[in-house]
C-alpha cells in the first residue's frame, strides 16, 4: 500500500494559545502520528488547506476534489474538521477506483487525551480493507459518506440508516 494523505485542517491540527481558547490550525499531524506508530508502508502527506471546516467554501471542496482526482494512487486518507466533513466527503462520491477515507478528531492531536491517534489508525485500517468509495472513519466506526451525520450534542458520528 502507498497511502496519500490530504490535510484540510480542522481540530486534529489545531494549536491552542491561551485560556480564552484562541487557536490556529497548524501543521498537519497525521504524518507525525504515523511516524510515531512506526508504520512500515510508504505514505505522503499533502497539505491542501489549514482551515476550520466551518470556514470551508465550495471552492475549497473543489480544490480537494481536483487534488484527489489528480493523485494516481488508489488509497487516500483525508484529515478534515468534523463539522463539515460529511459535506466535503459527498463532493468526492463519484470519483471512481479510489478508496477515500475521511477522519479527524474531536480534540487536537497535540492534546494528551486526543482521539486523533485512534482515529487515524482506524482510518488507515479502513482504507486498506474497503472497496472503492468514500467513507468516514471516526470513533472506531466506519460509515459510508452518504449514510452518516455528525451528532453535535452527543459528540459523535451516527449512521443515518
Amino acid at each position: 500500500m502507498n497511502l496519500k494523505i490530504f490535510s484540510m485542517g480542522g481540530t486534529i491540527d489545531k494549536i491552542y494559545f491561551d485560556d480564552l481558547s484562541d487557536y490556529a490550525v497548524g501543521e498537519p499531524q497525521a504524518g507525525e502520528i504515523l511516524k510515531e506508530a512506526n508504520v512500515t508502508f510508504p505514505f505522503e502527506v499533502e497539505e491542501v488547506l489549514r482551515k476550520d471546516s466551518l470556514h470551508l467554501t465550495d471552492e475549497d471542496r473543489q480544490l480537494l476534489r481536483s487534488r484527489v482526482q489528480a493523485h494516481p494512487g488508489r488509497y487516500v486518507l483525508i484529515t478534515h474538521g468534523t463539522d463539515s466533513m460529511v459535506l466535503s466527503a459527498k463532493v468526492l462520491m463519484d470519483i471512481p477506483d479510489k478508496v477515500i477515507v475521511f477522519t479527524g478528531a474531536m480534540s487536537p492531536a497535540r492534546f494528551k487525551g486526543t482521539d486523533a491517534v485512534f482515529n487515524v489508525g482506524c482510518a488507515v485500517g479502513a482504507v486498506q480493507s474497503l472497496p472503492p468509495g468514500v467513507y468516514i472513519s471516526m470513533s472506531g466506526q466506519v460509515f459510508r459518506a452518504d449514510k452518516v451525520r455528525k451528532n453535535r450534542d452527543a459528540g459523535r458520528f451516527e449512521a443515518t440508516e
Side-chain angles (χ1 to χ4, degrees):
M1 180 180 76
N2 190 354
L3 179 64
K4 178 72 168 200
I5 302 169
F6 292 99
S7 171
M8 294 292 285
T11 297
I12 193 168
D13 296 334
K14 284 184 180 175
I15 304 167
Y16 283 83
F17 294 111
D18 60 28
D19 291 340
L20 298 175
S21 294
D22 189 25
Y23 71 90
V25 178
E27 298 272 328
Q29 294 300 297
E32 291 304 312
I33 289 169
L34 294 179
K35 285 177 190 171
E36 289 178 10
N38 294 316
V39 300
T40 59
F41 57 82
F43 67 89
E44 178 186 4
V45 179
E46 180 178 329
E47 183 177 61
V48 179
L49 294 169
R50 284 190 191 186
K51 283 190 173 183
D52 184 295
S53 70
L54 290 172
H55 301 134
L56 291 175
T57 65
D58 290 341
E59 291 79 21
D60 296 333
R61 290 181 178 87
Q62 288 304 316
L63 174 62
L64 174 63
R65 180 182 172 83
S66 68
R67 298 272 181 96
V68 170
Q69 281 183 303
H71 174 61
R74 175 182 172 98
Y75 303 106
V76 175
L77 190 152
I78 299 169
T79 60
H80 194 290
T82 60
D83 285 313
S84 70
M85 183 184 289
V86 173
L87 181 58
S88 293
K90 287 180 179 178
V91 170
L92 308 183
M93 291 284 297
D94 63 346
I95 296 176
D97 303 322
K98 293 186 187 291
V99 182
I100 303 167
V101 178
F102 281 74
T103 197
M106 298 295 186
S107 64
R110 291 171 175 86
F111 282 18
K112 182 180 179 187
T114 185
D115 57 334
V117 175
F118 182 74
N119 289 343
V120 169
C122 287
V124 167
V127 81
Q128 293 178 74
S129 59
L130 293 167
V134 182
Y135 306 89
I136 291 178
S137 176
M138 289 290 295
S139 304
Q141 291 189 282
V142 179
F143 306 93
R144 283 187 30 184
D146 60 343
K147 299 190 181 299
V148 65
R149 71 179 184 94
K150 181 179 177 183
N151 180 333
R152 283 196 180 135
D153 294 334
R156 66 175 181 249
F157 282 77
E158 301 171 333
T160 56
E161 290 184 2

